[in-house]
Amino acid sequence: MSDENDQDDLGATTVNPPKSDEPKKEKKIFGDFELDKKLGQGGMATVWRAWDRNMRDECALKILRKDYSATPEILERFQREAVLLRKVRHPNVLSDVSFEQDREAGMLVIRMPLLPGLTLRQRITTPPAELGQILAWAEQALSALVALHAVGI
């Protein structure tokens, strides 16, 4: 670990803690957000649990991979996703999202509420869920997918 701040492939700055006898967690700073834990990753973006230093609350951030931020088509697609998500009215789709962009820093973020609880995979497997419950969750997910497709996502 160095004493300097480093930038990773997301464009986040890792702030190294001061040296002491007790181990301290490094902070990843991404604009006005402190990244806490990676929640998932896809082909274009990574989702993080984060602390919004302006709003003073936890949130989820979908951060576009830095290598995509120079591609105009990808930038448009990423922003379009946030705009269209705000139009969806469905109980299983988050529509309280915002799109944040800093072209100079190459930062593109979709900010959304952080929902506490288990992932669907955890709910299905620990302890194993009943087939009827799994089918009900699948129906809810498919209904949400229909709503997303209806607005063009």
Side-chain angles (χ1 to χ4, degrees), residues 64-81:
L64 184 66
R65 285 183 19 196
K66 195 172 183 179
D67 54 326
Y68 282 127
S69 52
T71 310
E73 298 82 22
I74 301 284
L75 294 175
E76 184 179 320
R77 182 174 157 192
F78 195 71
Q79 183 174 10
R80 183 174 176 264
E81 178 181 335

Side-chain angles (χ1 to χ4, degrees), residues 29-123:
I29 306 297
F30 191 86
D32 294 325
F33 304 96
E34 292 179 20
L35 305 182
D36 180 40
K37 179 182 177 187
K38 186 190 298 188
L39 300 175
Q41 185 165 345
M44 287 179 33
T46 304
V47 178
W48 290 83
R49 177 173 49 209
W51 176 256
D52 185 330
R53 296 185 298 178
N54 286 332
M55 301 302 289
R56 297 186 180 146
D57 69 350
E58 274 195 318
C59 61
L61 290 183
K62 183 174 184 179
I63 303 173
L64 184 66
R65 285 183 19 196
K66 195 172 183 179
D67 54 326
Y68 282 127
S69 52
T71 310
E73 298 82 22
I74 301 284
L75 294 175
E76 184 179 320
R77 182 174 157 192
F78 195 71
Q79 183 174 10
R80 183 174 176 264
E81 178 181 335
V83 169
L84 292 175
L85 271 172
R86 293 188 62 84
K87 294 180 180 186
V88 177
R89 297 296 177 253
H90 190 278
N92 299 108
V93 176
L94 288 174
S95 60
D96 182 19
V97 300
S98 62
F99 176 78
E100 302 189 24
Q101 182 175 15
D102 180 342
R103 286 186 186 260
E104 286 183 24
M107 295 171 29
L108 293 161
V109 176
I110 296 176
R111 183 197 192 282
M112 58 197 97
L114 179 67
L115 300 179
L118 302 173
T119 65
L120 180 57
R121 176 176 292 169
Q122 291 168 329
R123 294 198 64 187

Side-chain angles (χ1 to χ4, degrees), residues 1-2 6 14-17 24-28 35-36:
M1 187 182 313
S2 70
D6 302 312
T14 301
V15 180
N16 296 324
K24 292 187 180 177
K25 184 178 177 183
E26 291 181 336
K27 288 183 182 177
K28 284 186 177 276
L35 305 182
D36 180 40

Side-chain angles (χ1 to χ4, degrees), residues 109-147:
V109 176
I110 296 176
R111 183 197 192 282
M112 58 197 97
L114 179 67
L115 300 179
L118 302 173
T119 65
L120 180 57
R121 176 176 292 169
Q122 291 168 329
R123 294 198 64 187
I124 289 172
T125 60
T126 315
E130 297 290 326
L131 180 58
Q133 181 61 62
I134 294 170
L135 292 174
W137 291 329
E139 184 177 5
Q140 291 172 20
L142 290 172
S143 176
L145 189 58
V146 168

